[in-house]
Amino acid sequence: MFKGKSLTLTCLLVMLMPSVADAATPIIEGERFHGVPGQHAMVVTSHTLASRVGHDILRDGGNAVDAAVAIGFALAVVQPRSGNIGGGGFMVISDEASGDVTSIDYRETAPAGAFETMFQDDEGNVVEAASRYSANASGVPGTVSGMAMALERYGSMSLDRVMAPAIRLARDGFTIPARFADGLNDSREQLEKNDGTQRLFYKADGSDWRAGEVFQQGELAATLERIAQNGPREFYEGETADHLIDTIKAHGGIMTHEDLKNYRAIERAPVHGTYRGYDVYAMAPPSSGGVHIVQILNMLENDDLTGTGFGSAASMHLMSEAMRRAYADRSKYLGDPDFFEVPVKALTSKDYARELRAQISLEKATPSEAIGPGNLTPYESNETTHYSVADDSGLAVSNTYTLNFSYGSGIAVDGAGFLLNNEMDDFSAKPGVPNAFGLIGGEANAVEPGKRMLSSMTPTIVKRDGKNFLITGSPGGSRIITTTLEVISNVIDHGMNVQSAVSAPRFHDQWLPDELRIEDGFSPDTVRLLEGMGHNVVQKSAMGASQSILINEEGFQGGADPRRETSSALGL
Ligand code: DON
């Protein structure tokens, strides 16, 4: 794989003012939405302060991986509902110079004491609270290991250099935006059940948070400082590990020191596919994202989506029919590849996509009950946050990481100042019983000791003629795959600029439940036509938050998703 290197900013000595967009950009002449321009590099994250951290690292000579790792730690401070060191995720890294695209799997793992029926009661009923809000809801966290691996293999700066901004933000505090205040105020009932969480995240006088107040995290600052000084093993074998296991024990959980000690991030080859001449690289299992993005794109490739147009009933029908077939396969064939043979080649083959496409009528929806996981010919497979970084040395990073729900299990590590994930809910607690995102699974995604739970996270890099072209991904649980798919299609099929592509209304079909979920913004005519074809169209809240970058002859263009009021693109 490729070597780490520093960013070759041509104008390093000139302190360039960043081009900035926080949330929605204004409508100026010509186009309705405009990406944020950058000549040398671009950072797009879900939080203004995290984007600033990444920007400053790039300005100071760091490369895109240095910036991505700094952002990962900064988001753990300024956006504790999803930014984390107590969770996990996936990072896709592309190096244009060598042509290599790689990925780091830092997904959580089930503790050694985990077992298949651990979230069922004596009668075999699934106990949701156990997989979502207990100490056993947490998988062994991977973020610190993953960030350190990315930095060591592909970064150019030291760990304490890239962690310094996060430590400062935790120690000195930062001014909170409305989204931060509302998030904590609205989650009071759940989070205050745990004394440690209550103490860390709420005021002593019990009053609500208000935008503009300052939030400090002394315990978290100390934890980050220990990691910066002693390296990632501090988290897995040092004082931080002691605090973590003490908290787990106090809440009756099964995770042990041994589980932490044994945790390792894994570098994996990403899934690769092609779409209308573009190369698509996305996360391989244990995420389902890459497999299904490629599978759906393959099903769409021979239809003229440009001709049928964005937001038309014809385009939405075809895409949703392709989506539901992919999600049906997900329920059977996807899981941790170290435990279950995932038929990646078969699922992502053009031949299989042709077979599935042939089942789709252009006039009529297929009810989901008439669809099941396909028969494969044997070939051999609430709140998360996504950010994208790219630099002019040709490095690009697409990273999605999470605690699963907003604030994860709601249990904070006493003495270490961070929240634990509730990622164990992403396993299939029982075949056929949906998880929090309505996804079902079976044997491939059953709980097993040391196994990684199936994810939908889809950090993706699209290349054109060997050059990084689109860096994208999103949060949104089961909606991550379709959100990312639609950003890609909006750019490639509908010629949108990156800001239009991330702002455009979205739709989603995940096979079960049998509904075509849409955001606000599609015309009533389109909805009527879709209903006439047999789709159960349901309008629900906004989906995803795709922080994306497009790179072309004109330079870098950042698209910050207006669905998050703190989204921010910064160009250099
Ligand atoms: O890995 C997954 O697919 C889920 N744990 C992601 C959760 C998520 O995106 C929540 N957010 N919006």
Side-chain angles (χ1 to χ4, degrees):
M1 277 295 159
F2 48 88
K3 279 250 172 72
K5 57 186 164 181
S6 345
L7 173 65
T8 53
L9 286 179
T10 32
C11 307
L12 246 188
L13 297 176
V14 186
M15 285 283 284
L16 288 166
M17 284 304 291
S19 316
V20 182
D22 291 336
T25 43
I27 298 170
I28 329 176
E29 58 195 8
E31 297 185 73
R32 293 184 64 227
F33 297 103
H34 295 263
V36 169
Q39 285 170 21
H40 305 291
M42 180 62 62
V43 178
V44 192
T45 83
S46 58
H47 201 290
T48 41
L49 291 171
S51 292
R52 169 65 56 189
V53 164
H55 168 275
D56 291 354
I57 290 277
L58 290 162
R59 184 201 58 201
D60 294 347
N63 67 24
V65 174
D66 298 320
V69 174
I71 291 166
F73 284 111
L75 282 169
V77 176
V78 299
Q79 194 169 275
R81 66 202 290 163
S82 55
N84 68 80
I85 56 172
F90 303 101
M91 182 183 283
V92 176
I93 306 171
S94 165
D95 178 42
E96 229 172 67
S98 66
D100 289 334
V101 186
T102 187
S103 69
I104 294 176
D105 160 6
Y106 58 99
R107 182 68 160 168
E108 301 89 332
T109 58
F115 54 97
E116 189 169 345
T117 54
M118 67 185 281
F119 298 120
Q120 298 175 20
D121 64 17
D122 294 344
E123 269 119 53
N125 300 311
V126 171
V127 185
E128 284 179 0
S131 65
R132 298 179 189 177
Y133 300 114
S134 77
N136 283 342
S138 301
V140 182
T143 297
V144 173
S145 175
M147 292 288 155
M149 179 184 273
L151 189 71
E152 194 187 306
R153 299 195 179 175
Y154 304 113
S156 69
M157 289 177 157
S158 66
L159 188 62
D160 70 329
R161 171 68 186 85
V162 297
M163 289 184 73
I167 294 169
R168 247 193 326 273
L169 285 163
R171 194 197 307 109
D172 301 347
F174 56 94
T175 305
I176 60 171
R179 186 162 190 269
F180 185 102
D182 295 346
L184 284 179
N185 295 340
D186 295 348
S187 307
R188 222 178 234 290
E189 198 186 325
Q190 183 59 40
L191 296 182
E192 285 193 330
K193 285 182 186 157
N194 302 299
D195 291 348
T197 313
Q198 199 277 337
R199 190 174 52 77
L200 282 172
F201 290 101
Y202 294 96
K203 296 191 225 168
D205 68 4
S207 63
D208 268 358
W209 284 108
R210 295 214 317 251
E213 291 178 322
V214 170
F215 187 70
Q216 285 176 301
Q217 299 167 87
E219 273 178 23
L220 178 59
T223 299
L224 294 173
E225 233 155 37
R226 285 194 304 275
I227 297 170
Q229 295 310 314
N230 307 333
R233 296 320 295 168
E234 156 61 31
F235 185 90
Y236 296 95
E237 295 176 63
E239 183 186 330
T240 311
D242 293 340
H243 289 308
L244 201 163
I245 296 304
D246 286 349
T247 299
I248 293 280
K249 278 198 186 133
H251 287 81
I254 58 174
M255 197 189 298
T256 63
H257 274 286
E258 227 22 48
D259 290 321
L260 281 176
K261 202 169 148 195
N262 290 338
Y263 185 86
R264 293 286 180 278
I266 302 172
E267 183 162 4
R268 296 184 188 274
V271 171
H272 173 242
T274 57
Y275 183 61
R276 304 190 201 275
Y278 292 79
D279 286 286
V280 179
Y281 296 90
M283 197 60 220
S287 178
S288 58
V291 166
H292 295 307
I293 278 272
V294 170
Q295 183 187 12
I296 298 170
L297 289 171
N298 283 343
M299 280 189 255
L300 301 175
E301 190 170 41
N302 297 312
D303 285 271
D304 179 16
L305 283 175
T306 310
T308 48
F310 173 82
S312 67
S315 295
M316 289 171 72
H317 166 70
L318 175 66
M319 289 174 79
S320 63
E321 289 293 295
M323 288 172 187
R324 71 167 112 195
R325 282 165 174 80
Y327 278 86
D329 282 344
R330 184 188 189 281
S331 71
K332 179 169 176 184
Y333 293 114
L334 269 289
D336 182 342
D338 295 340
F339 286 73
F340 183 87
E341 202 170 318
V342 182
V344 174
K345 271 198 182 158
L347 288 166
T348 58
S349 81
K350 302 268 186 202
D351 284 348
Y352 181 54
R354 256 191 298 277
E355 240 176 71
L356 292 177
R357 171 64 188 84
Q359 296 166 10
I360 299 175
S361 150
L362 290 178
E363 273 83 47
K364 236 175 125 19
T366 323
S368 287
E369 63 182 23
I371 296 174
N375 289 318
L376 301 176
T377 43
Y379 277 77
E380 33 192 303
S381 180
N382 286 330
E383 176 87 8
T384 297
T385 190
H386 176 84
Y387 57 89
S388 301
V389 187
D391 68 32
D392 70 354
S393 78
L395 267 184
V397 179
S398 181
N399 188 83
T400 317
Y401 77 155
T402 189
L403 292 168
N404 196 22
F405 291 8
S406 287
Y407 313 105
S409 68
I411 299 175
V413 175
D414 228 5
F418 63 91
L419 285 160
L420 288 167
N421 68 83
N422 60 345
E423 218 73 74
M424 293 292 281
D425 192 66
D426 276 351
F427 277 120
S428 175
K430 189 179 174 182
V433 177
N435 73 2
F437 297 101
L439 294 166
I440 61 170
E443 186 206 333
N445 191 32
V447 185
E448 288 181 66
K451 187 175 179 182
R452 282 154 144 93
M453 57 296 286
L454 183 60
S455 174
S456 300
M457 290 189 273
T458 317
T460 301
I461 297 180
V462 179
K463 294 178 76 171
R464 182 173 62 176
D465 301 329
K467 289 188 175 331
N468 295 330
F469 173 68
L470 178 64
I471 329 299
T472 188
S474 177
S478 55
R479 276 90 60 186
I480 291 173
I481 302 171
T482 47
T483 294
T484 308
L485 171 85
E486 286 163 47
V487 172
I488 296 171
S489 170
N490 288 345
V491 169
I492 295 180
D493 295 320
H494 304 305
M496 292 186 197
N497 70 39
V498 73
Q499 188 61 58
S500 300
V502 303
S503 304
R506 296 184 182 133
F507 58 98
H508 170 79
D509 191 319
Q510 63 178 49
W511 176 50
L512 296 175
D514 187 345
E515 65 180 29
L516 174 49
R517 176 175 169 166
I518 61 168
E519 288 185 340
D520 181 27
F522 292 104
S523 86
D525 292 12
T526 298
V527 172
R528 256 196 308 279
L529 286 168
L530 286 164
E531 285 172 343
M533 291 169 159
H535 291 278
N536 304 313
V537 184
V538 185
Q539 189 183 312
K540 291 187 178 167
S541 53
M543 294 183 266
S546 177
Q547 317 296 354
S548 303
I549 298 173
L550 192 139
I551 309 167
N552 60 21
E553 307 68 40
E554 286 159 30
F556 299 80
Q557 212 182 69
D561 200 320
R563 291 166 185 78
R564 296 277 184 279
E565 69 195 37
T566 50
S567 294
S568 152
L570 292 180
L572 269 85

